[in-house]
Amino acid sequence: MTVLDFYDMLVVLLDDFPLDLIIEASDLAPRVVDGAWHHLIGQPAPDRGGIASALANGEVLFCMHDLQRMVEFRLVYEEVLFAVKSYYQGAESSSRYELVKSLRSELSAGKRAYGPSEGAWQRLLCGPTGSILTCKLETLTYVEAVREMAECFELVPLPIPAALLSKEAATEKAAESSPTEVAEHAETMPELQGFKAERSPPRDRRSPGPWRSVERGSLMRSRSRA
């Protein structure tokens, strides 16, 4: 498919989606150069002749998955993409180790609202081999680095663990409980019988304690005189 093909499909759902963003993402997405494993949209099977004809006519073709992934990466990680572009200014390539080290440091210092997980950084560091031993030897160009990030980084926030959700819900429910609710539960829970449900007074209105109160001091003095 071409950039315009992808844009025509997308505007059916989002009629104001910017075409410039898709063009910018397409500069980083891999292009189709062989029709042996791909086919044009609408064709049931790979057709070398159809793709060859399109390429001969000057069409720039992309695999839909690759182009979609890069557009999503551009939307979610705009600040990360800007940091990668700045990192590669004046340099054709960089080792995986230096790239990950520099980006993590910069993004952590900037306190970005959303960034990749530690697992994503680890996948980028180890590369396709999955070995951390070669991270200082293997180099990546700017385009290669961005393409690997688009495959390694999460495009949606990680789900919150169920244990944290249940704990947070229990905390909120306890904080929202009112004296009326406690009294209602006391009717069905014998251990709450006789419990006086009232809120504590503000800190500035609380008594400093019976051992410091003037009334208690006066009472003790009157008893000692008696």
Side-chain angles (χ1 to χ4, degrees):
M1 69 186 312
T2 65
V3 168
L4 292 179
D5 292 334
F6 185 78
Y7 177 73
D8 290 340
M9 295 174 60
L10 194 56
V11 293
V12 174
L13 302 175
L14 301 169
D15 56 0
D16 59 345
F17 196 90
L19 176 60
D20 293 343
L21 190 149
I22 303 177
I23 295 175
E24 181 182 346
S26 68
D27 292 337
L28 302 170
R31 301 182 179 184
V32 172
V33 295
D34 185 6
W37 303 102
H38 304 281
H39 58 86
L40 298 175
I41 293 180
Q43 294 180 341
D47 182 7
R48 187 185 298 271
I51 291 183
S53 176
L55 294 175
N57 292 331
E59 298 283 356
V60 180
L61 302 179
F62 302 90
C63 177
M64 181 177 177
H65 166 78
D66 295 335
L67 184 56
Q68 178 180 341
R69 186 80 181 183
M70 193 59 67
V71 170
E72 293 174 348
F73 178 79
R74 168 62 178 79
L75 282 171
V76 177
Y77 292 104
E78 180 180 4
E79 295 180 342
V80 175
L81 189 59
F82 178 79
V84 177
K85 186 181 297 185
S86 300
Y87 174 81
Y88 273 98
Q89 285 183 350
E92 294 183 359
S93 62
S94 170
S95 69
R96 290 181 180 274
Y97 174 79
E98 293 297 334
L99 173 65
V100 173
K101 178 183 176 181
S102 177
L103 290 179
R104 286 189 61 186
S105 176
E106 180 177 350
L107 295 174
S108 298
K111 296 181 180 179
R112 301 298 195 268
Y114 177 67
S117 65
E118 286 299 316
W121 285 120
Q122 187 73 14
R123 290 190 293 270
L124 179 62
L125 182 65
C126 296
T129 62
S131 175
I132 199 173
L133 300 177
T134 60
C135 64
K136 291 187 177 182
L137 302 176
E138 189 177 357
T139 59
L140 295 172
T141 63
Y142 168 66
V143 175
E144 291 172 343
V146 173
R147 288 178 181 176
E148 284 204 22
M149 289 178 186
E151 293 297 328
C152 295
F153 290 5
E154 303 89 355
L155 297 179
V156 293
L158 296 177
I160 301 176
L164 293 180
L165 286 175
S166 59
K167 183 177 180 180
E168 182 180 358
T171 303
E172 292 180 354
K173 184 176 181 180
E176 294 174 357
S177 296
S178 63
T180 304
E181 293 174 342
V182 175
E184 292 175 353
H185 288 302
E187 298 177 358
T188 58
M189 300 176 64
E191 60 270 20
L192 292 181
Q193 293 291 342
F195 178 77
K196 186 178 181 182
E198 60 181 12
R199 299 183 183 276
S200 300
R203 184 175 297 274
D204 56 348
R205 293 173 54 190
R206 295 178 186 175
S207 170
W211 55 88
R212 296 180 181 177
S213 66
V214 177
E215 294 79 7
R216 181 173 177 81
S218 302
L219 180 60
M220 292 297 294
R221 285 193 296 270
S222 61
R223 287 183 177 179
S224 60
R225 291 175 183 173

